[in-house]
Amino acid sequence: MNQANIKDLLSKIKTFPSMPATGAKMLKMLENPETTVDEIEDVLRHDPGLTGNVLKLANSAYFGIPAKVASTRQAVLLLGLRKLIQLVIASCVNAVMDKPVPGYNLPPGDLWRHSIAVSIAAEALVKDSHNVESEDIFTPALLHDIGKLILGHFIKEAQEDIDKIASSGVPYAVAEQMVLGTDHAEVGAQVLTQWSFPQEVIDAVRWHHGPDSPDRKAAAVDIVYLANLLCQTADDAENADRQETDLSPAVVERLGLDIGQFDDVKTRVAEWVDELAEALTFN
Ligand SMILES: [Fe+2]
Ligand SMILES: [Fe+2]
């Protein structure tokens, strides 16, 4: 891909659909420790469709709430404020992400399902890790591959070249860099920057294929990297997200995890991915 094409690609990012207004407001609330339930209720009141989606999600067995959640206020009480905001954001990005991605041989819904699987794995890893307290991991994990939505439109013509390089054992994101001059992780980070996501979310997306980069800072980077690796299916290894095959030992050490725990994480993903994918699909 020549420089002109890269420029064209970056201009496409500038015209990428904007984050729905409610999602943008919620992001601001997530950053503000003083946010109250009343403020969240105020925003959601104007968006009954979204409220319905969020309640459907809150009632999913994945979140393990025994009582039926019937109102925003109740959802905040039972799930906590941060979790509720994360679910609202997830509802907002669903519309953008549940689409076929032309260039990566990804059928409709596949990227969304993979993203949900990585979110489940990421939450399980946070729970298992001795070194990570509590991390708002759901959102960065859900969004980690969002750059593929953009690159997918360009990668078609470059797919053969990227595949050829990747088939010689080069990680997929590196092959993208070699052919396109950028990769889906960087493009995703740029989209989220435009959407004014918090810096931790942007960083976790930017470094999800390069957790040992000297620029990475937060534990969220390690978690999303590892969760993504654990959620690679045999199919991915063949095409869409072929990447590092060796786990970074530094990441495992930083997180205070034991490789023996990873099978449990995979089991948890298998157990919940259908449930959560169903809860996160809105008509
Ligand atoms: Fe990726
Ligand atoms: Fe991925």
Side-chain angles (χ1 to χ4, degrees), residues 183-243:
D183 61 34
H184 68 273
E186 176 57 33
V187 170
Q190 296 203 26
V191 170
L192 298 180
T193 304
Q194 280 205 17
W195 285 358
S196 305
F197 268 78
Q199 195 59 43
E200 309 85 76
V201 176
I202 296 169
D203 285 347
V205 170
R206 176 169 279 132
W207 303 116
H208 79 269
H209 288 291
D212 292 324
S213 142
D215 294 319
R216 48 82 56 205
K217 284 182 207 84
V221 174
D222 289 340
I223 298 272
V224 174
Y225 155 82
L226 187 52
N228 184 48
L229 217 61
L230 295 178
C231 289
Q232 277 196 100
T233 62
D235 280 356
D236 294 334
E238 285 299 305
N239 53 53
D241 203 14
R242 190 171 33 236
Q243 53 178 337

Side-chain angles (χ1 to χ4, degrees), residues 113 117 120 264-275:
R113 195 184 157 83
I120 298 168
D264 279 354
V265 174
K266 287 184 188 171
T267 308
R268 191 166 158 81
V269 171
E271 196 181 344
W272 288 108
V273 69
D274 288 329
E275 163 81 27

